[in-house]
Amino acid sequence: MIHRIEVGFKQSVRDVLGERTCKRIVANLGIDVREVRTIEVFTVEGSFSREELEVAAAGPFSDPVIQVYSVDRPLARNFDWLIEVGFRPGVTDNVGKTAREALELLYAERGAGGRVAVYTSRQYLIMADIDRKNVDAIASKLLANDLIERYAIMGKDEWDAERGMPPFVPRVTGEDRPVVQEIDLAVADEELLLISEKGVLALNLDEMKAIQAHFQDGNVLDQRRSVGLGAKITDVELESLAQTWSEHCKHKIFNAFIEYCDEEGNGIVIDSLFTSYIKESTRIVRESRGDKDWCRSVFVDNAGVIKFNDDYNLIFKVETHNSPSALDPYGGALTGIVGVNRDPFGTGTGAKLIFNTDVFCFASPFFDKPLPKRILHPRRIYDGVREGVEHGGNKSGIPTVNGCIVFDERYLGKPLVYCGTGGMAPARSMGKPSHRKEIRPGDAVVMTGGRIGKDGIHGATFSSEELHEGSPVTAVQIGDPITQKKMTDFLLRARDLGLYRAITDNGAGGLSSSVGEMASLCGGCEIDLQKAPLKYAGLQPWEILVSEAQERMTLAVPPENIEEFKLLAEKMAVEATVLGTFTDTGKFHIRYGEQTAAYLDMDFLHNGVPQLRLTARWLPTCRETPRIAEPADYGKALHEILGRLNICSKESVVRQYDHEVQGGSVVKPLVGSMNDGPSDAAVVRPILDSFEGVVVANGICPRYSDIDTYHMAACAIDEAIRNAVAVGASLDHLAGLDNFCWCDPVESKKTPDGAYKLAQLVRANKALYDYTIAYGVPCISGKDSMKNDYIIGDTKISIPPTLLFSAIGRIADVRKAVTMDAKRPGDIVYILGETYEELGASEWYAHHGFIGHSVPRVNAGRAKKRYQAIGRAIDQGLVASCHDCSDGGLGIAIAETAFAGGLGIDMDLAKVPYEGQRRNDYMFFSESQSRLIVTVHRDLQESFEKIFEGQCCAEIGIVNDTGIFSVRGIEGQLIISEPLEGLKASWQRPLNF
Amino acid sequence: MAKEVRSIVITGNGTNCEMEMAHACRLAGSDVVDIVHISDILWGEKRLEDYHFLNLPGGFLDGDDLGSAKAGANRFLHARIRGTGRPLFEQVIHFVEQGKLILGVCNGFQLMVKLGLLPAVDGDYGRQTLTLTFNDSGRFEDRWVHMIADPESPCVFTRGLGGLYLPVRHGEGKVVAAHEGLLKRLHEGRQAVLRYSTPDYSSPTMDYPLNPNGSVDAIAGICDRTGRLFGLMPHPEAYLHATNHPRWTRENLPEEGMGLSLFRNAVEFIRNELL
């Protein structure tokens, strides 16, 4: 039987969701709506009496103080239009799941017979004099995402107050008809490509031919016969190979053989960017530290591991979830954050998660041109991603301590959603180093957490493609942070009891990747897909294997512990299923019941993918220095730059993330006299009875890619390090993560400039190599997402090449940490580091519509000395405030220091150490790197200056209590005199929604 | 039971502030502090009656999917203890009847309210008369707020306290009462212990963001008639050390955070009155 329970607010109670929806309709869509009210609908499937449903409705489903409910009778009345939005079949419905569990618990005694399911939907009751076309626009452009949700519209004239909305049950109707299909690969090349394309396998011809050749090998055929398989590959095998060999999992571009040619025709060959630049620079840094090397596990596990102290390790990973966020911003971002949580959690023997950090790249939320097909409005992406990360982070109880939002029109085609998570683990687990993974043949393959559905099938291969017309709906999924939280609670306990030997997460590629990767540690596996718990019937064996259904970990459990492991899981209400055994047979052996569905050589699975051979050609851009007039009114110019999207306050987003849970917050994202200044980096204290702290910072500057990706990467690395040292991180104990998001750099018909884009990638890697070595800040893990293009019809939008460099480090005593806000009148304002005429791709040029060519360049030698010196100054307690100078230049940094501290600053531009054409605007807005703005108490002036002896350190102003930010220009004239409140308001206004 | 103060911090199903809550109990001098997963209680391996001080920390019980702590309250009311088959809620009521202390923070406060443990103006524990619902802003927010404590309140946790400055981190913290009469009773019994206030701690305020959620009469925390059950939306366990304060780098602050005093009061009360 199908029943509907509806819950709405009492007349006297504010419906804030309705109010907010009303505001959004007016503001985002420009449709005039007077009022919106909401009703929650629970569609219940199961055999319950009316009385039982009344009890449930009055109990867990509604709040007696503020809500009213009805059973099988509509609540809605007095509206012009009604829109009901519900999920499509198979889409994760977290509220529905919780409602079902509540219902089952309520009637556990009588043993609720038969199948129980609860599906949720929401009604929006709209008061407005608008026509159906407008209502449809509200539904499709704001309330429902057609990919995952359906909606129904009802006008007041059609409304039947007795019957209401007809119930809709989004049940997945499937039947189990499991078939393992065979595919003939003994076909012509075109046919091979067709097989890849039709199956969304994202395998190129060389790869298909490598598989074809492998399946013609006599030895292989003999072995297959022994398990009842023929000469043809099974769909399970082909899918396993496609997942394992996907760009997402194998990083084929980063591992390609590249011939690079520079502007003068000098060529070099690179056998894998990853090996030659990223791994190699880390090796060199580690070697230089000798026995003081604090790296513990780099590039081999789900996340990088460094030492925190003798007893604990830090684990860090940043991931992207771009393509799903383009299609469903909320679900994509939510899955992104809970997904990256599982990376540190699934590293070594597992870690407690201690912080999240998120960086988003969007087009302007005020975009007002026609939208290309299938693209959601950037405001919708902004709101959806923000909310997805809010729910994912807050509900998991992990503080979101740091992040930023970058705006560029080219992120219209694909937004970038970087989600990072840090963890902490005891250095030793059951007497062994916790950062190593060990699996023994005979250990059970166990899957824990959520069940498997069709969600996320082909996520790994899909993310290896550009966004196109046929992008699969199944690639979209919605995370469930509570199911994951329950699982992590359970697994941390199991870890501390020593119940399992190794752990990894189920992310891209699902079981095929997680079991496949773990099996390589012992040399094989044999699992039975029929044992896997499913959300619903109708999945084919290959789908079970590659599904990316969320909230699952795969573990190796020693046979002697399996009963205790399962009992603890049962007690803590977490599903745990033994799927098979790890072996040393050298085979990836997958069965469905008794039938062998896949029998692949482990070596071929992991190492069989042929290396790509690519060409890269570098052509430097040669843009002229733009001619822009000096502003007549510098005050006005400052207000305008403060209000630019890349510079303005992100407080409204930051406030909606819990940045203090776990109790160790030290430097928050918002600091200063009114708790609203922009912090440079986060400091958290993960062990509450210790003062040792973790520092987290990010660097990202994609605009510079328009001139040279080498300097873009150098600046991103410098920015992350600069932010970290600005709060007091020690440069001697700082590690990095590289996270590349590129546009397709493989030359082809649809990417005629692939060789240039690949050269951009090569140059970014060269910079990464040069600067991580120069700073002694090794990369410990990373990620790449290489197909951030949008191609539909004649429209192609490629993102600017983007590198997010994230830094994680240590501060020995958090009580010495420094924030960016000016502290006291009378303090001296210093600038550390030279300013050059480096306005190429600056915010100042961008404000005038130019790019220019004088991109900032990083002098790591000088910067390193400066960063070490600021570390000493902070450690000695000489620094009142320290702020990183980045987007918008020193003028912006000093203005922020002033208004965050609620104190005026009087500065003198003539005192700024500068090389280049002496113009006030150039000096004020140049984005030269490695500069810090520091304020120092007058009594400490001498000690401070002594530390910087021989370095570029100039006194340029004084903190005062006038409430005015004033600047004297190079001629000594007053060019800016602005009240702090006004400057702050300009900075806070743009994104205050 | 030996003469030691025993505190229990319940976790599981989405609770996430258990570590710092336990840390606060330890710093406050509780001799035993156990973080106990609710499944340990439901499987009969741990019992509330072995403790004096029950902590219900913040988090998102069952994702707050049916409204904050609603599904969590449903579990407390209807889940049964293995072996005995008795509802978990019986243990809670027994705990209350013994005059022991319960502190609910944020989601724990929401749980207490929805279980009817607060405000229970007639001592009718188990009947919900008040609620905590969506903030007027319509959004979850993390921000620090000022509060004033009612010196006349029977609340044992706030004894001797004037003002408090703590962070709120919630989307559903607005107090709404079933009817005006209840509010009157609440004030008569001095049960509206904590109220959001102006930064100088001079008067309660309805102005956003000082009052972060639009709570009626600026109510931030409520106790029962005995003052032994107490819940509040702001997080005292988030301010145990000076470095938790958002402006610690610019103000001279005592090393001990303000939040700890609530826990100290609880432990002292137990030592003096319950042991």
Side-chain angles (χ1 to χ4, degrees):
Chain A
M1 266 299 281
I2 309 294
H3 302 276
R4 272 168 75 100
I5 297 176
E6 298 189 0
V7 177
F9 288 101
K10 289 180 181 170
Q11 281 293 339
S12 56
V13 175
R14 273 180 78 173
D15 176 352
V16 290
L17 178 66
E19 289 174 21
R20 200 171 56 165
T21 306
C22 184
K23 268 189 215 151
R24 277 193 187 176
I25 293 171
V26 175
N28 299 7
L29 302 179
I31 297 174
D32 195 17
V33 167
R34 289 192 302 280
E35 190 191 356
V36 177
R37 281 171 290 127
T38 60
I39 290 172
E40 304 295 328
V41 181
F42 300 89
T43 302
V44 180
E45 206 181 359
S47 47
F48 295 100
S49 70
R50 190 177 172 91
E51 291 67 37
E52 284 175 328
L53 292 170
E54 291 273 350
V55 169
F61 287 14
S62 74
D63 186 322
V65 177
I66 47 169
Q67 289 172 324
V68 289
Y69 63 85
S70 69
V71 176
D72 290 331
R73 166 176 67 76
L75 271 186
R77 57 178 63 91
N78 304 331
F79 57 85
D80 292 319
W81 294 95
L82 185 154
I83 302 171
E84 182 167 323
V85 180
F87 291 111
R88 290 187 180 278
V91 176
T92 304
D93 180 351
N94 289 326
V95 179
K97 177 168 170 266
T98 302
R100 173 177 58 76
E101 288 171 358
L103 203 53
E104 284 172 344
L105 181 64
L106 206 52
Y107 296 116
E109 286 295 283
R110 77 148 170 83
R115 181 194 148 79
V116 179
V118 182
Y119 309 95
T120 60
S121 51
R122 178 178 289 149
Q123 293 181 345
Y124 298 88
L125 279 53
I126 297 174
M127 298 292 283
D129 304 318
I130 51 176
D131 60 13
R132 184 175 283 270
K133 212 174 113 227
N134 271 327
V135 183
D136 201 71
I138 293 171
S140 63
K141 289 187 178 163
L142 190 79
L143 301 180
N145 181 347
D146 200 42
L147 268 183
I148 54 163
E149 289 162 322
R150 59 177 293 282
Y151 60 85
I153 294 174
M154 188 82 84
K156 63 179 169 192
D157 303 333
E158 318 156 65
W159 182 249
D160 178 340
E162 288 301 306
R163 296 169 60 193
M165 275 283 181
F168 176 77
V169 181
R171 188 194 308 122
V172 180
T173 48
E175 267 180 66
D176 274 330
R177 285 205 203 94
V179 188
V180 175
Q181 289 197 332
E182 292 188 325
I183 297 138
D184 190 0
L185 293 184
V187 293
D189 291 359
E190 305 88 76
E191 192 84 9
L192 282 179
L193 276 177
L194 211 64
I195 292 170
S196 169
E197 216 170 281
K198 275 192 177 163
V200 200
L201 301 176
L203 292 169
N204 67 23
L205 185 59
D206 282 351
E207 290 155 358
M208 288 299 286
K209 287 180 89 158
I211 299 172
Q212 183 187 52
H214 183 76
F215 276 76
Q216 283 162 356
D217 182 320
N219 276 335
V220 171
L221 295 182
D222 286 348
Q223 288 171 358
R224 294 175 64 76
R225 263 181 227 115
S226 71
V227 291
L229 288 176
K232 292 181 189 165
I233 191 169
T234 68
D235 53 0
V236 177
E237 291 172 321
L238 188 55
E239 288 285 347
S240 300
L241 285 164
Q243 299 305 315
T244 311
W245 290 10
S246 67
E247 179 56 49
H248 188 95
C249 296
K250 269 281 176 271
H251 314 288
K252 290 182 283 200
I253 293 168
F254 263 83
N255 286 308
F257 185 89
I258 296 173
E259 290 176 63
Y260 171 86
C261 181
D262 71 12
E263 66 269 38
E264 282 156 7
N266 303 315
I268 51 166
V269 294
I270 303 148
D271 187 359
S272 170
L273 287 168
F274 177 53
T275 310
S276 315
Y277 292 127
I278 302 176
K279 273 168 92 173
E280 181 62 8
S281 56
T282 295
R283 190 193 65 75
I284 290 170
V285 173
R286 293 185 68 178
E287 201 174 80
S288 72
R289 286 193 197 278
D291 55 7
K292 287 192 180 142
D293 170 35
W294 35 255
C295 290
R296 288 291 174 264
S297 167
V298 296
F299 306 120
V300 293
D301 211 329
N302 291 312
V305 185
I306 62 169
K307 174 181 169 174
F308 179 62
N309 58 25
D310 289 342
D311 301 324
Y312 289 96
N313 288 338
L314 284 173
I315 300 103
F316 192 20
K317 176 74 173 190
V318 179
E319 269 277 9
T320 52
H321 222 227
N322 309 334
S323 304
S325 301
L327 298 174
D328 172 25
Y330 173 78
L334 172 55
T335 309
I337 192 70
V338 294
V340 76
N341 288 168
R342 292 193 303 273
D343 280 321
F345 194 82
T347 296
T349 54
K352 178 182 188 294
L353 306 176
I354 59 169
F355 68 82
N356 285 334
T357 166
D358 308 294
V359 174
F360 311 139
C361 301
F362 297 144
S364 165
F366 307 108
F367 183 84
D368 58 1
K369 286 168 241 166
L371 281 174
K373 215 169 151 184
R374 272 200 87 166
I375 282 184
L376 300 177
H377 191 276
R379 174 66 197 265
R380 200 169 172 189
I381 301 237
Y382 180 105
D383 289 337
V385 167
R386 190 213 55 69
E387 192 178 9
V389 170
E390 175 198 324
H391 288 174
N394 293 1
K395 291 190 177 185
S396 302
I398 302 164
T400 298
V401 298
N402 175 260
C404 67
I405 311 178
V406 177
F407 293 94
D408 187 294
E409 199 116 305
R410 288 165 287 178
Y411 295 118
L412 185 68
K414 256 198 197 179
L416 302 185
V417 177
Y418 291 100
C419 296
T421 301
M424 173 160 273
R428 300 183 76 77
S429 172
M430 304 313 279
K432 293 181 184 163
S434 68
H435 60 273
R436 296 212 185 98
K437 275 189 174 137
E438 181 204 18
I439 294 175
R440 296 195 193 145
D443 285 352
V445 178
V446 180
M447 186 185 98
T448 64
R451 296 186 147 228
I452 297 176
K454 295 198 183 195
D455 20 2
I457 284 175
H458 286 149
T461 50
F462 162 60
S463 72
S464 308
E465 294 186 324
E466 79 280 1
L467 186 60
H468 57 76
E469 198 118 24
S471 298
V473 176
T474 51
V476 174
Q477 38 196 324
I478 297 178
D480 174 0
I482 296 305
T483 294
Q484 181 149 309
K485 176 82 175 129
K486 283 160 80 169
M487 174 177 71
T488 54
D489 284 352
F490 154 64
L491 287 172
L492 283 177
R493 194 189 265 200
R495 176 195 74 178
D496 294 342
L497 291 167
L499 296 182
Y500 62 80
R501 218 185 309 266
I503 181 168
T504 203
D505 86 302
N506 280 277
L511 283 173
S512 85
S513 294
S514 71
V515 177
E517 280 166 27
M518 286 180 97
S520 64
L521 296 176
C522 57
C525 64
E526 183 172 346
I527 64 168
D528 179 1
L529 296 175
Q530 205 172 17
K531 293 193 172 139
L534 305 180
K535 291 183 180 175
Y536 38 77
L539 269 74
Q540 290 299 337
W542 71 267
E543 293 177 308
I544 299 171
L545 189 64
V546 306
S547 160
E548 295 180 9
Q550 294 291 298
E551 293 85 37
R552 294 181 296 146
M553 303 297 288
T554 298
L555 299 107
V557 180
E560 62 272 22
N561 294 345
I562 195 72
E563 284 314 312
E564 195 181 344
F565 184 89
K566 282 167 69 178
L567 189 68
L568 184 63
E570 186 199 340
K571 180 172 127 180
M572 297 179 77
V574 175
E575 201 153 12
T577 313
V578 176
L579 298 179
T581 343
F582 288 104
T583 65
D584 55 4
T585 60
K587 298 291 177 195
F588 180 71
H589 189 173
I590 308 294
R591 289 185 284 111
Y592 188 87
E594 288 308 306
Q595 186 193 2
T596 289
Y599 197 68
L600 290 167
D601 284 327
M602 290 292 300
D603 184 54
F604 181 67
L605 180 64
H606 288 293
N607 305 316
V609 61
Q611 191 181 25
L612 278 177
R613 294 185 76 91
L614 301 172
T615 312
R617 262 189 320 275
W618 173 244
L619 276 174
T621 55
C622 41
R623 292 190 184 88
E624 286 188 5
T625 296
R627 287 162 204 272
I628 49 177
E630 261 201 74
D633 181 346
Y634 271 94
K636 183 165 162 273
L638 177 59
H639 279 282
E640 285 168 3
I641 301 299
L642 281 170
R644 284 182 63 78
L645 291 179
N646 281 323
I647 289 171
C648 71
S649 172
K650 314 296 185 293
E651 178 174 347
S652 74
V653 173
V654 172
R655 285 246 175 265
Q656 294 180 71
Y657 297 153
D658 186 333
H659 45 259
E660 302 185 73
V661 61
Q662 299 191 14
S665 167
V666 175
V667 174
K668 301 181 203 302
L670 297 164
V671 297
S673 63
M674 302 289 284
N675 305 344
D676 57 7
S679 180
D680 288 332
V683 179
V684 295
R685 192 164 56 100
I687 304 162
L688 294 177
D689 46 18
S690 155
F691 288 109
E692 290 165 287
V694 179
V695 179
V696 189
N698 287 297
I700 185 168
C701 28
R703 281 177 295 111
Y704 300 152
S705 291
D706 288 337
I707 300 174
D708 189 342
T709 48
Y710 181 88
H711 298 296
M712 177 279 289
C715 293
I717 293 166
D718 187 67
E719 185 184 16
I721 295 172
R722 190 165 77 230
N723 278 316
V725 298
V727 297
S730 159
L731 189 59
D732 292 332
H733 201 117
L734 201 58
L737 295 188
D738 59 282
N739 207 315
F740 287 86
C741 284
W742 233 250
C743 32
D744 187 3
V746 177
E747 195 146 296
S748 69
K749 216 195 241 163
K750 55 187 182 190
T751 310
D753 54 352
Y756 173 71
K757 288 171 171 166
L758 187 64
Q760 289 183 302
L761 184 67
V762 171
R763 293 183 66 77
N765 275 275
K766 280 162 86 90
L768 184 128
Y769 177 88
D770 292 345
Y771 285 91
T772 55
I773 292 174
Y775 282 123
V777 175
C779 286
I780 54 169
S781 182
K783 187 74 198 173
D784 59 272
S785 163
M786 303 305 291
K787 306 275 166 118
N788 291 292
D789 305 273
Y790 162 96
I791 306 176
I792 289 179
D794 294 334
T795 311
K796 176 170 181 181
I797 309 173
S798 297
I799 64 156
T802 308
L803 168 66
L804 170 68
F805 195 83
S806 307
I808 183 165
R810 187 172 176 279
I811 177 166
D813 185 343
V814 298
R815 290 168 293 190
K816 292 181 172 170
V818 166
T819 54
M820 51 69 65
D821 45 308
K823 300 293 187 303
R824 272 173 310 256
D827 282 4
I828 300 164
V829 182
Y830 288 94
I831 185 163
L832 307 180
E834 302 83 355
T835 302
Y836 303 96
E837 190 185 321
E838 291 180 321
L839 290 114
S842 65
E843 285 293 325
W844 181 241
Y845 274 4
H847 187 59
H848 293 87
F850 295 105
I851 293 172
H853 76 276
S854 54
V855 68
R857 288 156 192 258
V858 179
N859 183 326
R862 274 186 239 164
K864 187 177 181 182
K865 282 198 193 111
R866 187 173 308 133
Y867 296 162
Q868 285 168 333
I870 193 72
R872 286 196 298 278
I874 289 174
D875 189 57
Q876 291 173 29
L878 305 176
V879 176
S881 77
C882 183
H883 190 23
D884 131 78
C885 215
S886 56
D887 293 359
L890 71 91
I892 296 300
I894 299 178
E896 286 174 346
T897 297
F899 64 63
L903 293 166
I905 284 179
D906 183 15
M907 69 161 286
D908 195 344
L909 213 42
K911 291 186 179 165
V912 173
Y914 177 77
E915 275 178 40
Q917 189 188 346
R918 287 185 79 79
R919 267 176 59 162
N920 286 320
D921 57 341
Y922 287 4
M923 293 170 73
F924 204 65
F925 295 117
S926 159
E927 295 183 6
S928 290
Q929 299 294 298
S930 316
R931 295 176 301 162
L932 294 165
I933 302 298
V934 176
T935 63
V936 175
H937 196 275
R938 200 165 277 290
D939 295 346
L940 304 171
Q941 175 170 20
E942 205 175 313
S943 316
F944 179 79
E945 287 180 1
K946 192 149 185 265
I947 286 181
F948 286 92
E949 231 165 43
Q951 296 197 35
C952 180
C953 166
E955 179 182 336
I956 56 168
I958 300 286
V959 179
N960 60 44
D961 57 4
T962 61
I964 305 280
F965 175 55
S966 58
V967 181
R968 267 161 295 130
I970 39 184
E971 309 289 341
Q973 75 286 26
L974 193 68
I975 57 170
I976 294 176
S977 178
E978 293 288 330
L980 297 177
E981 296 82 54
L983 292 174
K984 196 189 208 174
S986 293
W987 177 74
Q988 287 181 325
R989 196 175 301 117
L991 294 175
N992 187 20
F993 45 68
Chain B
M1 205 183 289
K3 292 249 175 208
E4 52 184 17
V5 176
R6 299 175 61 87
S7 304
I8 178 172
V9 181
I10 293 189
T11 186
N13 299 303
T15 294
N16 59 36
C17 297
E18 69 276 10
M19 300 294 280
E20 56 268 44
M21 199 89 165
H23 187 61
C25 291
R26 264 181 236 115
L27 290 179
S30 176
D31 304 293
V32 173
V33 181
D34 290 338
I35 296 176
V36 172
H37 194 274
I38 193 162
S39 63
D40 292 328
I41 300 174
L42 292 174
W43 277 41
E45 292 165 11
K46 297 272 182 185
R47 296 176 311 171
L48 293 185
E49 66 175 342
D50 294 332
Y51 299 90
H52 307 106
F53 183 18
L54 168 59
N55 288 264
L56 300 169
F60 287 84
L61 282 171
D62 305 272
D64 283 353
D65 285 337
L66 306 176
S68 59
K70 284 290 292 177
N74 189 58
R75 184 180 299 104
F76 267 80
L77 291 171
H78 300 290
R80 288 164 189 274
I81 311 291
R82 269 204 181 199
T84 68
R86 308 302 305 169
L88 169 58
F89 197 57
E90 264 185 21
Q91 280 196 29
V92 177
I93 291 295
H94 183 62
F95 193 88
V96 173
E97 284 167 356
Q98 287 181 309
K100 294 175 172 179
L101 304 192
I102 307 181
L103 174 62
V105 173
C106 196
N107 199 220
F109 180 30
Q110 293 162 337
L111 177 66
M112 289 178 80
V113 162
K114 291 177 190 188
L115 281 172
L117 291 176
L118 290 174
V121 290
D122 294 313
D124 47 347
Y125 300 104
R127 193 170 69 86
Q128 185 188 346
T129 54
L130 192 100
T131 202
L132 288 156
T133 186
F134 296 102
N135 299 349
D136 278 350
S137 66
R139 55 176 74 187
F140 175 103
E141 281 192 328
D142 179 336
R143 62 167 75 246
W144 284 61
V145 294
H146 299 83
M147 286 158 284
I148 37 180
D150 179 357
E152 305 296 319
S153 169
C155 183
V156 304
F157 295 83
T158 54
R159 285 181 181 176
L161 294 183
L164 271 174
Y165 185 54
L166 299 172
V168 289
R169 309 191 309 247
H170 63 247
E172 298 180 48
K174 177 184 176 178
V175 171
V176 176
H179 49 84
E180 277 295 318
L182 180 79
L183 278 178
K184 197 162 162 271
R185 293 284 312 279
L186 199 65
H187 291 303
E188 277 166 8
R190 312 305 285 242
Q191 286 178 250
V193 189
L194 285 177
R195 303 169 79 184
Y196 299 110
S197 83
T198 50
D200 59 2
Y201 303 113
S202 65
S203 55
T205 180
M206 293 303 289
D207 293 342
Y208 174 84
L210 298 173
N211 175 335
N213 47 39
S215 208
V216 63
D217 293 344
I219 297 171
I222 293 171
C223 66
D224 73 337
R225 289 190 311 178
T226 68
R228 298 182 185 208
L229 311 191
F230 177 49
L232 72 167
M233 286 314 297
H235 288 265
E237 81 292 351
Y239 184 20
L240 301 177
H241 186 265
T243 55
N244 289 137
H245 190 287
R247 297 184 303 279
W248 70 272
T249 58
R250 55 184 301 119
E251 291 178 11
N252 279 323
L253 300 165
E255 181 158 15
E256 181 175 311
M258 269 184 179
L260 190 54
S261 46
L262 299 176
F263 295 88
R264 282 201 194 285
N265 276 333
V267 171
E268 194 183 337
F269 178 85
I270 293 164
R271 223 180 273 291
N272 295 338
E273 317 260 337
L274 295 182
L275 288 188

